[in-house]
Amino acid sequence: MNVIELNQLTKYYGKSRGIEQVTLDVKEGEIFGFIGPNGAGKSTTIRTMLGLLYPDSGTAKIFGKDCFMSGPEIRQEIGYLPSEVFYYDKMKVIDLLNYTAGFFKNKNSKVKMRELAEIMELDLKKRIEDLSYGNKKKVGIVQGLMHSPKLIVLDEPTSGLDPLMQQKFFDIIKKENQNGASVFFSSHILAEVQSLCNRVAIIKDGQIIKVDDIKSMREDNYKKVTLKGNQIPSDQFINLQGVTNIHHVDRELKFFYKGDINQLTHLVSQNSLKDVLIEEPTLEEIFMHYYR
Amino acid sequence: MLNILKYELKLHLKSLIIWGISLVILAALLMLFYPTFGDDVALVDKMLENYPKELLQAFGMGGQLSLATVPGYFSFVFVFLQLMLAIQASNYGFSILSVEERELTADYLMTKPVSRSEIYISKFLASVIIMILSSGIAIVASLISIEAFRNGHPYDQERMVLLLLTLLPLSLLFLSLSLFISTLLKKVKSVLSLSLGLCFGLYIVNSVQTIVGGKWVSGLIPFHYFEPNYILENGELNTNYFMMYFIIVVVSIVVSYKTYLTKDIHSV
């Protein structure tokens, strides 16, 4: 079953582009990565899914229900953590979290709130305005997860968290996922996506340019090839079908290769080289490849 | 919905206390000066005769009632109560919806399982409740201070109560109107300057209109709908303005509601 189904979702801000014909689906139980640089349309997609923005065309469904017709019902089971968090400054953390619990039907929210606050080392008695940015972010995590949502939507969630807290946060997300929650994880930090997600969509200039398994994206398609030698016949390699992203510096030739590996090894064997490296590209390198 | 309503009421409680105390002080101060006028009827009337009629009208002293009588004096000072409640109501109207966007808490609230319709209704209802309480305080405080300072001068209590009761519909009008304006504006930067601008602006237009005249303009000025001289002289509301009042309130509420329901909430 699909938890999220976006179909041809389009949103313009006046004349400027937000997202164009975004189509993707997230399956139940998976951690879905959504990557792209700032301004690519990640937040616009998420905000449209959550009913903060109204699309110009296309449909957005969560749990099989329309995001705009059944917004409140859907959001009963969504936990959202934005990149920038803002809460009512004059409130105490505990009051804000109790207020939050009041919106949800889940009766265990308050118990889980205490558990999460303890894990995140969050002082519930402080006023929001007295919290550091990192601590406000912790409030965000607690208020987003306290009702044990079936879908967790994260929009660049780790900014402002120190590495130790980031790790704790990822552990919590993994645990929620093991307990059945699906996760939609938007980020431009590829290492995070790589370590956490099952599938990933890449968005560029408001359009989805690739949706694939992280594994197949890394393994099946591209190999990163590095050749070292005094006289590399670069033309021969560059002309090989399936070679892209060529970097030729001094005695080193680097490129991505997607094609028959025997052709490549045949060519390699015909030349005198000092070293050959054929490796899996990192997600970052794949990402840069799509962004050229 | 109850969750937001409770939160909003709690939020406004402090402001209600401050406005309530101010209204009590104002009501007392306004009547405190009455004995000076009431005890020397002839002198006051003679003094006022020297002023041009238009000027007296502009300051609410153009009616048949003498400034030396309780109703005459009160209809002159009543505008201060009207202004105060109008400003309080406009403050809420300009802020209740816009505050979430200004302080960037809209993301928090609107991603919770509540519809925008529930948010709008809860916030509006909370403001209405606060304005009922504020108007109630103003009415009771005014009646007590009239009794305390009238120095035995007579007045028609029923008519006075009727006049004071109009403070509530006036507040509701300013609440709806400012809410309407706030949803039309791209961003509400300063609530107080907008509410002071709206209330004093309309008050000045009201004063100018009484001098210059122009009946169609008077239909657009809320202060005119609840003109104290008319109510105290006739013992009834001026029904000519009922329609206009309802049009302004209903259109303001309907348009602001519809606008709010379909508004895009942009990220930081």
Side-chain angles (χ1 to χ4, degrees):
Chain A
M1 195 192 126
N2 288 333
V3 177
I4 302 175
E5 289 171 316
L6 306 183
N7 190 13
Q8 306 280 310
L9 201 63
T10 301
K11 172 71 189 173
Y12 276 85
Y13 300 108
K15 279 185 180 169
S16 62
R17 184 254 329 143
I19 48 172
E20 282 172 334
Q21 304 196 319
V22 166
T23 299
L24 59 85
D25 47 59
V26 176
K27 295 179 177 60
E28 191 174 358
E30 76 175 331
I31 304 184
F32 188 91
F34 193 47
I35 54 178
N38 295 332
K42 298 192 299 293
S43 291
T44 302
T45 308
I46 289 176
R47 298 178 77 78
T48 313
M49 271 162 41
L50 294 170
L52 292 166
L53 300 174
Y54 285 87
D56 294 310
S57 62
T59 57
K61 284 183 179 176
I62 292 180
F63 311 128
K65 287 173 185 149
D66 187 274
C67 287
F68 306 99
M69 303 297 283
S70 315
E73 189 188 339
I74 290 169
R75 292 196 291 271
Q76 192 65 245
E77 298 293 350
I78 295 182
Y80 169 58
L81 178 63
S83 50
E84 304 275 336
V85 290
F86 295 95
Y87 302 108
Y88 306 103
D89 278 347
K90 301 285 174 212
M91 273 178 126
K92 280 185 182 166
V93 176
I94 185 72
D95 294 333
L96 178 90
L97 294 175
N98 281 332
Y99 181 42
T100 309
F103 288 109
F104 295 106
K105 287 177 187 160
N106 189 336
K107 298 277 179 257
N108 292 324
S109 299
K110 288 191 181 175
V111 178
K112 192 160 176 193
M113 165 184 98
R114 301 244 171 222
E115 281 172 20
L116 287 167
E118 201 170 311
I119 297 170
M120 300 304 292
E121 295 163 32
L122 177 65
D123 186 352
L124 295 175
K125 286 176 195 146
K126 278 198 170 175
R127 267 181 199 272
I128 304 276
E129 62 186 348
D130 297 331
L131 296 180
S132 67
Y133 185 70
N135 278 324
K136 276 187 194 166
K137 201 88 192 198
K138 290 181 191 174
V139 176
I141 294 167
V142 178
Q143 65 84 35
L145 302 177
M146 63 194 281
H147 56 294
S148 304
K150 285 184 189 156
L151 172 65
I152 301 168
V153 179
L154 308 167
D155 191 359
E156 312 225 351
T158 50
S159 62
L161 287 181
D162 61 55
L164 201 67
M165 278 302 153
Q166 280 189 22
Q167 197 46 52
K168 281 188 179 179
F169 171 65
F170 285 135
D171 290 344
I172 294 172
I173 294 296
K174 280 179 193 162
K175 201 175 156 199
E176 291 293 321
N177 179 244
Q178 281 159 10
N179 291 337
S182 314
V183 183
F184 187 85
F185 183 12
S186 151
S187 178
H188 63 260
I189 303 166
L190 296 144
E192 291 179 351
V193 177
Q194 198 164 354
S195 68
L196 209 64
C197 301
N198 316 115
R199 279 201 308 147
V200 64
I202 299 176
I203 186 166
K204 178 186 181 183
D205 299 333
Q207 293 179 335
I208 301 285
I209 49 172
K210 181 94 181 163
V211 182
D212 212 343
D213 283 354
I214 290 230
K215 224 175 161 187
S216 63
M217 205 178 239
R218 290 174 61 196
E219 286 175 2
D220 300 344
N221 297 333
Y222 293 93
K223 299 288 173 198
K224 191 173 95 179
V225 181
T226 310
L227 307 174
K228 288 178 187 171
N230 288 331
Q231 281 183 318
I232 304 170
S234 57
D235 288 354
Q236 285 182 27
F237 286 97
I238 291 166
N239 290 331
L240 198 65
Q241 203 182 357
V243 169
T244 48
N245 286 43
I246 303 146
H247 287 275
H248 194 182
V249 184
D250 293 336
R251 293 168 193 171
E252 198 175 270
L253 180 70
K254 281 185 177 179
F255 55 86
F256 274 16
Y257 180 66
K258 184 187 181 184
D260 185 352
I261 197 76
N262 294 311
Q263 277 188 13
L264 177 72
T265 49
H266 181 67
L267 199 58
V268 166
S269 68
Q270 286 180 335
N271 288 284
S272 161
L273 301 167
K274 275 194 170 175
D275 199 1
V276 179
L277 269 171
I278 301 178
E279 43 186 355
E280 302 295 338
T282 62
L283 198 57
E284 186 132 10
E285 284 162 332
I286 297 172
F287 183 73
M288 290 314 289
H289 165 73
Y290 283 111
Y291 262 85
R292 264 164 213 286
Chain B
M1 196 164 104
L2 215 59
N3 199 28
I4 304 177
L5 182 67
K6 272 199 280 190
Y7 167 76
E8 288 289 318
L9 284 174
K10 215 170 151 186
L11 190 75
H12 292 322
L13 193 67
K14 205 171 149 192
S15 115
L16 173 69
I17 294 169
I18 295 168
W19 280 98
I21 293 170
S22 314
L23 282 163
V24 170
I25 294 171
L26 179 71
L29 275 178
L30 292 177
M31 281 309 292
L32 192 66
F33 296 103
Y34 171 69
T36 328
F37 290 82
D39 293 345
D40 208 338
V41 184
L43 185 72
V44 170
D45 286 346
K46 195 162 172 49
M47 187 182 79
L48 290 177
E49 266 172 30
N50 295 328
Y51 288 101
K53 198 163 183 277
E54 288 79 5
L55 187 74
L56 295 178
Q57 274 175 342
F59 286 98
M61 295 182 281
Q64 301 295 314
L65 301 164
S66 160
L67 195 64
T69 63
V70 174
Y73 177 81
F74 199 77
S75 67
F76 161 58
V77 296
F78 184 64
V79 71
F80 295 108
L81 284 171
Q82 283 183 316
L83 266 175
M84 194 128 155
L85 283 162
I87 291 167
Q88 187 193 1
S90 306
N91 275 350
Y92 297 148
F94 280 118
S95 77
I96 51 174
L97 296 178
S98 71
V99 68
E100 305 283 349
E101 284 181 76
R102 195 171 43 259
E103 298 190 358
L104 309 166
T105 48
D107 274 22
Y108 164 80
L109 187 61
M110 291 189 178
T111 54
K112 297 290 166 287
V114 279
S115 63
R116 293 200 191 179
S117 163
E118 283 173 287
I119 297 174
Y120 181 100
I121 294 169
S122 313
K123 283 174 170 267
F124 186 70
L125 206 61
S127 305
V128 170
I129 293 172
I130 296 291
M131 285 322 298
I132 291 174
L133 294 172
S134 260
S135 306
I137 292 171
I139 293 167
V140 172
S142 299
L143 288 171
I144 292 173
S145 66
I146 289 170
E147 279 302 322
F149 297 109
R150 72 189 173 103
N151 269 9
H153 293 276
Y155 73 101
D156 186 329
Q157 203 171 30
E158 250 177 56
R159 289 182 181 193
M160 191 58 82
V161 171
L162 179 69
L163 173 70
L164 286 165
L165 282 173
T166 63
L167 287 171
L168 181 60
L170 182 85
S171 309
L172 297 184
L173 185 139
F174 275 93
L175 175 65
S176 331
L177 189 62
S178 51
L179 194 62
F180 165 70
I181 298 169
S182 85
T183 48
L184 292 188
L185 294 174
K186 210 167 179 189
K187 200 163 193 180
V188 176
K189 279 185 186 160
S190 164
V191 169
L192 195 63
S193 47
L194 278 170
S195 60
L196 289 178
L198 177 73
C199 299
F200 281 111
L202 283 171
Y203 172 65
I204 291 165
V205 173
N206 184 40
S207 302
V208 171
Q209 188 274 332
T210 48
I211 303 170
V212 180
K215 203 152 189 194
W216 66 271
V217 184
S218 67
L220 297 172
I221 309 162
F223 290 107
H224 215 84
Y225 307 164
F226 306 106
E227 219 274 306
N229 276 312
Y230 184 92
I231 296 168
L232 289 178
E233 275 171 33
N234 302 293
E236 59 178 31
L237 299 175
N238 192 340
T239 50
N240 292 337
Y241 296 115
F242 272 16
M243 192 55 102
M244 202 58 205
Y245 175 86
F246 282 108
I247 289 173
I248 292 181
V249 171
V250 171
V251 168
S252 294
I253 292 174
V254 170
V255 174
S256 59
Y257 177 77
K258 293 268 179 199
T259 313
Y260 188 66
L261 250 51
T262 53
K263 196 175 185 180
D264 278 343
I265 308 296
H266 297 288
S267 57
V268 188

